[in-house]
Amino acid sequence: MQEPTTEVEYLRYRDFSTNQKLTLWSTTAGFGLEHMDQLFISFAMSSIIASLHISNFAGGFISTISMFGSLVGGLFFGMLADRIGRVRVFTWTLVIVAFATGAIYFAHNIWLVYTFRFIGGIGTGAEYGAGVTLIAENFAGKKIGKLTSLTQIGGQVGAVLSAVASAIIIPTFGWNALFLVGLIPVLLAFVLRRHVKESDEFIQTKEARRNGKESVVEKAPILEVFKTPALAYQTFALIMMMMIQIGGYYGLMNWLPKIMQKQLHLSISGSSLWMIVTIVGMSLGMYIFGFVLDNFGPRLAFGTFLLLAGVSIYLLLFAKTAWSLLFIMMVVGFFSNGMYGGYGVVVSRLYPTFARVTANSVVSSVGKLLGGFFPPIIGWLMDKYTLSHVMMFFTAMYLFSFLIMLTIPAFRRKDIEF
């Protein structure tokens, strides 16, 4: 956007700049609260299992229920956001997440927990898609890899806050009370997001619809995502890459403590230190990945991080002390999770305005659902094989994603500006 030359242009420029700031802050806060909400279950899991007298399988199924809700919400709200506006849907979904999370305070049996987590998953389904799309459109003409990465770093801050809240609330007030913190997004929705405006690009697209220029595909944006064999394959490939991204993240986070303690006879003093060091590595990785993506294009950025993620996982075999493990986990987190913010950038670049949130939601929600099945697979490998075999599986995952990435023609473009 050019610098303003008249008073009228200056006022418009000032408003647009303010909207950019609000978009970044609201998206960052939304991602942070979403991560916080997701990790509440992890920190409360043992208490939930004990107080409700359920099996480990029933407890683990809470996360599976959330992922199914995320798929439903991602498809429905994604298409709705492409029809009526990103900002309105972005606000509504946050309110759904807030009330569904807070309602768990009243859940005194596992079926109510399942119900509220499914509803909460519906709300989180389009949060990612709408958020990254708002950034892409409100920063049109700018390199957004670093900006999107910064908002994802905000999500990691939410993970730290969830650990702090859990440590304070659960021992004193019980696990149910922890979920009342989830009502905070309601305040965010009405105080911050009500001032965020739609992008000029979306407004122009909506105006074209009113003038009767809308095609059949635009009326059903899900059709655009699979409109041609080439587009269908591109969508499928991105889903596979997201599946590996999520599968690697949860596979490592769920099983690494057990791997270290049982097979390497290591222990880590304090879960808070473990989490902080890991998140620092992930956050640094996201920031550097955004810089590489902006300046060298998606093929080099994703290719480098995927290959180094597959290699760095083997460093865990050399961890002999708790401190060396913490350093290695920072390196592994740097490469394995640094790529996460890049998916929203490339999807927003590769699909048209009228299907952009839908495309992001499809890639994110379906990828997360499929990736959620990786932790039990890794658990099975741990029971049957050695640690080296488990590391080989992780490496094979990242190599598979690397090969899939090479088959996406659009990734050959270096320029990812809008």
Side-chain angles (χ1 to χ4, degrees):
M1 187 173 182
Q2 296 181 344
E3 291 292 326
T5 57
T6 67
E7 183 177 356
V8 174
E9 288 180 353
Y10 171 76
L11 291 173
R12 294 178 62 185
Y13 176 85
R14 183 189 63 184
D15 290 342
F16 183 71
S17 178
T18 300
N19 194 52
Q20 286 180 318
K21 294 175 184 176
L22 286 171
T23 298
L24 277 181
W25 278 109
S26 65
T27 304
T28 302
F31 288 165
L33 291 165
E34 180 187 354
H35 276 68
M36 186 170 64
D37 170 77
Q38 291 173 347
L39 285 176
F40 278 163
I41 288 293
S42 298
F43 288 111
M45 182 64 73
S46 59
S47 299
I48 292 174
I49 291 173
S51 66
L52 299 184
H53 308 290
I54 59 176
S55 66
N56 289 330
F57 175 82
F61 198 66
I62 298 173
S63 296
T64 305
I65 286 288
S66 299
M67 291 178 184
F68 277 106
S70 179
L71 177 61
V72 173
L75 296 177
F76 175 75
F77 283 113
M79 289 188 287
L80 190 63
D82 283 324
R83 292 291 300 173
I84 69 172
R86 290 81 161 96
V87 176
R88 292 167 66 186
V89 171
F90 204 25
T91 301
W92 293 346
T93 54
L94 199 60
V95 172
I96 291 173
V97 174
F99 281 107
T101 302
I104 296 180
Y105 175 78
F106 302 99
H108 299 293
N109 63 70
I110 190 60
W111 298 108
L112 283 177
V113 175
Y114 287 158
T115 300
F116 294 138
R117 289 307 295 170
F118 180 80
I119 296 173
I122 290 175
T124 60
E127 180 80 11
Y128 174 84
V132 295
T133 301
L134 274 170
I135 294 174
E137 293 177 350
N138 279 289
F139 289 86
K142 298 181 182 293
K143 296 180 178 181
I144 62 170
K146 189 185 294 184
L147 292 175
T148 305
S149 294
L150 288 173
T151 61
Q152 294 299 334
I153 292 173
Q156 300 306 314
V157 174
V160 174
L161 292 176
S162 70
V164 174
S166 300
I168 295 173
I169 295 174
I170 293 178
T172 305
F173 303 102
W175 67 267
N176 291 82
L178 175 65
F179 293 90
L180 289 176
V181 181
L183 292 172
I184 292 175
V186 175
L187 183 63
L188 172 71
F190 289 103
V191 173
L192 189 59
R193 288 191 177 174
R194 65 177 180 172
H195 298 295
V196 179
K197 300 176 183 177
E198 297 288 355
S199 67
D200 291 339
E201 184 179 357
F202 176 78
I203 293 173
Q204 291 169 4
T205 301
K206 192 173 181 180
E207 192 64 31
R209 289 173 178 160
R210 291 175 180 171
N211 296 332
K213 300 177 182 179
E214 187 178 28
S215 66
V216 174
V217 176
E218 288 176 301
K219 291 180 180 178
I222 191 69
L223 298 177
E224 173 65 27
V225 179
F226 303 99
K227 185 173 69 172
T228 65
L231 269 176
Y233 177 77
Q234 175 179 279
T235 303
F236 169 78
L238 288 166
I239 288 173
M240 291 295 100
M241 291 180 67
M242 178 63 81
M243 175 188 73
I244 298 301
Q245 180 72 40
I246 298 301
Y249 175 79
Y250 284 111
L252 282 171
M253 293 301 102
N254 286 1
W255 290 113
L256 192 61
K258 187 174 181 180
I259 291 173
M260 295 300 104
Q261 291 168 13
K262 284 201 163 187
Q263 301 202 39
L264 297 184
H265 307 292
L266 296 174
S267 62
I268 297 184
S269 55
S271 60
S272 59
L273 180 61
W274 161 270
M275 172 165 287
I276 290 171
V277 169
T278 304
I279 289 175
V280 167
M282 291 178 177
S283 299
L284 289 173
M286 289 176 179
Y287 184 81
I288 298 300
F289 179 86
F291 174 82
V292 177
L293 182 63
D294 282 339
N295 291 279
F296 300 100
R299 174 166 284 203
L300 180 62
F302 278 95
T304 301
F305 272 68
L306 285 169
L307 289 176
L308 290 177
V311 173
S312 65
I313 196 74
Y314 278 96
L315 293 175
L316 292 169
L317 297 174
F318 299 96
K320 302 302 180 183
T321 67
W323 289 107
S324 65
L325 174 61
L326 289 172
F327 174 76
I328 290 170
M329 265 313 298
M330 181 183 290
V331 176
V332 173
F334 182 98
F335 291 111
S336 65
N337 208 46
M339 301 166 282
Y340 184 65
Y343 291 94
V345 177
V346 295
V347 171
S348 297
R349 180 70 175 88
L350 298 179
Y351 294 86
T353 306
F354 65 85
R356 197 165 283 156
V357 182
T358 300
N360 268 307
S361 297
V362 167
V363 170
S364 175
S365 299
V366 178
K368 286 179 179 178
L369 178 65
L370 296 175
F373 290 99
F374 276 69
I377 295 174
I378 294 168
W380 178 80
L381 288 172
M382 287 175 55
D383 291 335
K384 299 292 183 180
Y385 300 97
T386 66
L387 181 60
S388 295
H389 288 93
V390 175
M391 299 300 106
M392 288 174 62
F393 177 76
F394 275 110
T395 298
M397 285 169 46
Y398 291 118
L399 285 177
F400 172 76
S401 184
F402 174 79
L403 294 174
I404 287 289
M405 183 272 297
L406 292 178
T407 67
I408 304 176
F411 270 54
R412 299 190 185 104
R413 304 174 190 170
K414 181 179 178 181
D415 184 11
I416 59 168
E417 294 185 9
F418 286 78

